[in-house]
Amino acid sequence: MTTAPRRRGGLLLALLGLAQLITSIDYNIVYVALPRIGADLGFSAQNLQWVVSAYAVAFGGFLLLGGRAADLLGRRRVFVAGLALYAIASLAGGLAGHAGLLVAARAVQGLGGALLFPATLALVATSFEEGRERNRAFSVWAAAGAGGMVLGSLLGGVLTEAFGWAAVFYVNVPLAAAAVAGAVLLLPADGPRAAGRFDVAGALTATAGVTLIVFTLVQGPVLGWASPPLLAAAAGGVVLLAAFLAIESRSGSPLMPLRLFANRNLSTGVVLTLLFMATFGTLLYFLTVHFQRVLGYSALQTGLAYVIPMAAGAAGSLAGGRLALRFGNRATLVTSLLVGSVATLALGLGIGAGGSYLALLPSMVVLNLAQGVIYTTMFAAATTGTALFDQGIASGIVSTGQQVGSAVGLAALVAVANAGAGGPAGLRNAVVIAAIGILLTVLVGLNFRRSTAPAEDEPLVSA
């Protein structure tokens, strides 16, 4: 590469990293502000969790739609639209003077994230050549996500204490505006796109079905799994998803082409991503409970406690691409899962003993290093061998697995922790079960191909 294209590629990667940073900051930043939000806007104890759940339900429900929209409408268009929605909803959330308005703003934020995340992932996969360049790009993208979680932990405490809870929403606005400006300057105009029309019936059934399933998983611990509204939502979700699969099998231009699952890397990646989030993705919750309820940390102290472990996660993300290039995606994933399982087991035993921060720190650092490597490598592995004009929906499929896994894992492991009265013994049991789940995930990682030839592209239409 000449100097100019290399510099432009670096700027493009920085832009895609910024987009990932924006969505990952929100993962932690709102949690810290929840008590202030509840007090100021009059949320009940039961309804306050909807500040988090509204985002999760909308994000998970619309990911397939966002992924296919990126393929059919253009990744640049969907990327910019997602950022714009995210910025507008964040501004509305900060200005909200009523609980209902804030929940609605969070749902629109989730929709923006559902457009932005698969478009960003597809842009990483299609803007950099498979191999060294793409692995490096995924490493930087994942490291930006880890960095966003660090910033979210810190900014949540600092902004809430200094300026009030609204500041945790306002901070997204200038970041998203900068990313939109960067997209206009750096992303080329959308060129040829995937052929076909938009699958309206598939979009409606998939979005409604996944939304109801995510709603069920998120609300189960709150409403009780046997509550009539929850059972109705679960049944409705299953029926709609069954209808979606029937529609897709007959559609000439499906929202989610079922042929994609013939790619063993993609189908394996969906399962691995789901299990990753159901295990690794839940540990932050149990650590937060341990820090605040057992060790008596404040919100700001909790945020500071995550700085070193999450910095290790960012380092692992940066190393993931190089390790995958040298040893292969499968070997890197399997080894990192084994290391992560041992570190999670050590963490669970330490929590069960009421361990101090310094006692838990070594296992947290090793755990986050492994987690960073896995996060980078699993997305690179899952999208390997997928045709260029299917990258958007492939990213949406993998991302949906990520969201469902997070909801399933947290619901199941919180129930385990509560069976131990939520104290150190209950937290230990939940984390140890997560460690066992990570160990079992190794079997899934072994199903990735050692190497995969690129798939043939689909017919094109002009932009």
Side-chain angles (χ1 to χ4, degrees), residues 62-102:
F62 283 90
L63 273 168
L64 287 178
L65 186 63
R68 197 54 176 165
D71 290 331
L72 294 175
L73 304 178
R75 298 179 188 105
R76 183 186 189 221
R77 292 185 181 94
V78 175
F79 181 84
V80 170
L83 284 168
L85 269 179
Y86 212 86
I88 292 169
S90 296
L91 180 62
L95 294 172
H98 184 272
L101 293 177
L102 180 58

Side-chain angles (χ1 to χ4, degrees), residues 167 316 338 356 358 413 423:
L338 289 170
S356 66
L358 289 179
L413 293 177

Side-chain angles (χ1 to χ4, degrees), residues 2 7 11 49 81 85 170 187 279 324 327 332 349 387 423 431 457:
T2 62
R7 183 181 299 115
L11 291 173
Q49 57 90 32
L85 269 179
Y170 291 145
L187 290 178
T279 53
F327 301 106
T332 301
L349 296 176
V431 176
D457 289 345

Side-chain angles (χ1 to χ4, degrees), residues 100-195:
L101 293 177
L102 180 58
V103 170
R106 287 289 286 164
V108 177
Q109 244 188 343
L111 174 58
L115 296 176
L116 179 61
F117 190 88
T120 304
L121 191 56
L123 283 167
V124 173
T126 56
S127 300
F128 300 90
E129 186 177 354
E130 192 170 300
R132 182 184 300 274
E133 289 298 318
R134 188 179 296 178
N135 284 346
R136 173 180 172 271
F138 271 117
S139 294
V140 174
W141 172 81
M149 294 183 71
V150 175
L151 282 176
S153 299
L154 291 174
L155 287 175
V158 172
L159 292 176
T160 300
E161 290 191 9
F163 304 107
W165 62 264
V168 305
F169 294 100
Y170 291 145
V171 72
N172 291 322
V173 178
L175 291 175
V180 169
V184 172
L185 294 173
L186 295 173
L187 290 178
D190 290 314
R193 305 187 300 277

Side-chain angles (χ1 to χ4, degrees), residues 296-397:
Y297 283 14
S298 68
L300 183 56
Q301 286 174 316
T302 301
L304 291 171
Y306 288 131
V307 171
I308 295 176
M310 289 186 179
S317 298
L318 289 172
R322 294 183 179 180
L323 292 172
L325 188 64
R326 181 170 181 179
F327 301 106
N329 287 329
R330 188 171 74 169
T332 301
L333 278 169
V334 168
T335 303
S336 300
L337 285 166
L338 289 170
V339 172
S341 178
V342 173
T344 302
L345 178 61
L347 180 67
L349 296 176
I351 287 175
S356 66
Y357 175 74
L358 289 179
L360 298 178
L361 186 59
S363 56
M364 286 194 292
V365 168
V366 175
L367 168 65
N368 278 271
L369 277 169
Q371 186 173 0
V373 173
I374 296 165
Y375 193 81
T376 296
T377 313
M378 70 182 183
F379 283 108
T383 55
T384 298
T386 298
L388 177 67
F389 295 99
D390 284 327
Q391 286 287 345
I393 186 58
S395 301
I397 292 169

